[in-house]
Coordinates of all heavy atoms in Angstrom, one line a residue:
A37 N -40.2 -9.3 49.5 CA -39.9 -10.4 48.6 C -38.7 -11.0 49.1 O -37.8 -10.5 49.6 CB -39.7 -9.9 47.2
Q40 N -35.1 -10.0 48.5 CA -34.8 -8.6 48.9 C -34.6 -8.6 50.5 O -34.2 -7.5 51.0 CB -35.7 -7.6 48.4 CG -35.6 -7.5 46.9 CD -36.8 -6.6 46.3 OE1 -37.7 -7.1 45.8 NE2 -36.6 -5.3 46.3
H148 N -41.3 -14.0 42.6 CA -41.2 -12.6 42.8 C -39.7 -12.2 42.3 O -38.7 -12.3 43.1 CB -41.3 -12.0 44.1 CG -41.3 -10.6 44.3 ND1 -42.3 -9.9 44.9 CD2 -40.5 -9.7 43.8 CE1 -42.1 -8.5 44.9 NE2 -41.0 -8.4 44.3
Y149 N -39.5 -12.0 41.0 CA -38.3 -11.6 40.5 C -37.1 -12.5 40.8 O -35.9 -12.1 40.9 CB -37.9 -10.2 41.0 CG -38.7 -9.1 40.3 CD1 -38.7 -7.8 40.8 CD2 -39.4 -9.3 39.1 CE1 -39.4 -6.8 40.1 CE2 -40.0 -8.4 38.4 CZ -40.1 -7.1 38.9 OH -40.7 -6.1 38.3
N193 N -44.9 -11.8 40.1 CA -44.8 -10.4 40.4 C -44.5 -9.5 39.2 O -43.7 -9.8 38.4 CB -43.6 -10.3 41.4 CG -43.4 -8.8 41.8 OD1 -44.3 -8.2 42.5 ND2 -42.3 -8.1 41.3
E194 N -45.3 -8.4 39.1 CA -45.2 -7.4 38.0 C -44.8 -8.1 36.8 O -43.8 -7.8 36.1 CB -44.0 -6.4 38.4 CG -44.3 -5.5 39.6 CD -43.4 -4.4 39.9 OE1 -42.2 -4.5 39.5 OE2 -43.8 -3.5 40.5
M247 N -50.5 -10.1 39.2 CA -49.8 -8.9 39.8 C -49.2 -8.0 38.7 O -48.3 -8.5 38.0 CB -48.7 -9.4 40.8 CG -48.2 -8.4 41.8 SD -47.6 -6.9 41.2 CE -46.6 -6.3 42.5
L249 N -47.5 -4.4 37.3 CA -46.8 -3.1 37.6 C -47.8 -2.0 37.0 O -47.9 -1.9 35.8 CB -45.4 -3.0 37.0 CG -44.6 -1.8 37.4 CD1 -43.1 -2.1 37.0 CD2 -45.0 -0.5 36.5
Y323 N -46.3 3.1 42.3 CA -45.4 4.1 42.9 C -45.5 5.5 42.3 O -45.3 6.5 42.9 CB -43.9 3.5 42.7 CG -43.7 2.3 43.4 CD1 -43.8 1.1 42.9 CD2 -43.2 2.3 44.7 CE1 -43.7 -0.2 43.6 CE2 -43.0 1.1 45.5 CZ -43.2 -0.1 44.9 OH -43.0 -1.2 45.6
W358 N -38.5 9.3 40.9 CA -39.8 8.8 40.6 C -40.9 9.8 41.0 O -40.9 10.4 42.1 CB -40.1 7.5 41.5 CG -39.2 6.4 41.2 CD1 -38.0 6.4 40.6 CD2 -39.4 4.9 41.5 NE1 -37.4 5.1 40.5 CE2 -38.3 4.2 41.1 CE3 -40.5 4.3 42.2 CZ2 -38.2 2.8 41.2 CZ3 -40.2 2.9 42.4 CH2 -39.1 2.2 41.9
E384 N -48.3 -3.2 46.5 CA -47.1 -2.4 46.6 C -47.4 -0.9 46.4 O -48.0 -0.6 45.5 CB -46.1 -2.9 45.6 CG -45.3 -4.1 45.9 CD -44.2 -4.5 45.0 OE1 -43.5 -3.5 44.5 OE2 -44.0 -5.6 44.6
W431 N -45.1 -1.2 50.3 CA -43.9 -1.9 49.9 C -42.8 -1.7 51.0 O -42.7 -0.6 51.5 CB -43.3 -1.5 48.5 CG -42.0 -2.1 48.4 CD1 -40.8 -1.5 48.3 CD2 -41.7 -3.5 48.1 NE1 -39.8 -2.5 48.1 CE2 -40.4 -3.7 48.0 CE3 -42.7 -4.6 48.1 CZ2 -39.8 -5.0 47.8 CZ3 -42.0 -5.9 47.8 CH2 -40.7 -6.1 47.7
V437 N -33.4 -4.5 50.5 CA -32.5 -4.2 49.5 C -33.4 -3.8 48.2 O -34.3 -4.5 47.9 CB -31.7 -5.5 49.0 CG1 -30.8 -5.2 47.9 CG2 -30.9 -6.0 50.3
S438 N -33.0 -2.7 47.6 CA -33.8 -2.3 46.4 C -33.6 -3.2 45.3 O -32.6 -3.9 45.0 CB -33.3 -0.8 46.0 OG -33.3 -0.7 44.7
N439 N -34.8 -3.3 44.6 CA -34.8 -4.3 43.4 C -34.0 -3.7 42.2 O -33.2 -4.4 41.7 CB -36.2 -4.5 43.1 CG -36.4 -5.2 41.8 OD1 -35.9 -6.3 41.6 ND2 -37.1 -4.6 40.9
S440 N -34.2 -2.5 41.9 CA -33.7 -1.9 40.7 C -32.2 -1.6 40.9 O -31.4 -1.7 39.9 CB -34.4 -0.7 40.2 OG -34.6 0.2 41.3
T441 N -31.7 -1.2 42.0 CA -30.4 -0.7 42.3 C -29.6 -1.6 43.3 O -28.4 -1.2 43.5 CB -30.4 0.7 42.5 OG1 -31.1 1.0 43.7 CG2 -30.9 1.6 41.5
K446 N -31.8 3.0 50.0 CA -33.1 3.4 49.4 C -34.1 2.7 50.3 O -34.5 1.6 50.1 CB -33.2 3.0 48.0 CG -34.6 3.5 47.4 CD -34.6 3.1 45.9 CE -35.9 3.8 45.2 NZ -36.1 3.3 43.8
Y448 N -37.6 2.1 52.4 CA -39.2 2.2 52.3 C -39.8 2.0 53.6 O -41.0 2.2 53.8 CB -39.7 1.2 51.3 CG -39.4 1.4 49.9 CD1 -38.2 1.0 49.2 CD2 -40.4 2.1 49.2 CE1 -38.0 1.2 48.0 CE2 -40.2 2.3 47.8 CZ -39.0 1.9 47.2 OH -38.9 2.1 45.8
Ligands
BGP510 C1 -41.2 -3.3 42.4 C2 -40.8 -4.7 42.9 C3 -40.3 -4.7 44.2 C4 -39.7 -3.5 44.7 C5 -40.3 -2.2 44.3 C6 -39.6 -0.9 44.6 O1 -41.0 -3.0 41.1 O2 -41.9 -5.5 42.7 O3 -39.5 -5.9 44.3 O4 -38.3 -3.5 44.9 O5 -40.6 -2.1 42.9 O6 -38.5 -0.8 43.7 P1 -37.0 -0.5 44.1 O7 -36.7 -1.5 45.0 O8 -36.2 -0.5 42.8 O9 -37.0 0.9 44.7

Side-chain angles (χ1 to χ4, degrees):
Q40 293 171 262
H148 192 130
Y149 281 168
N193 180 63
E194 295 188 337
M247 199 305 200
L249 184 162
Y323 293 88
W358 295 18
E384 284 186 33
W431 176 250
V437 180
S438 141
N439 165 59
S440 53
T441 57
K446 186 180 187 186
Y448 285 88

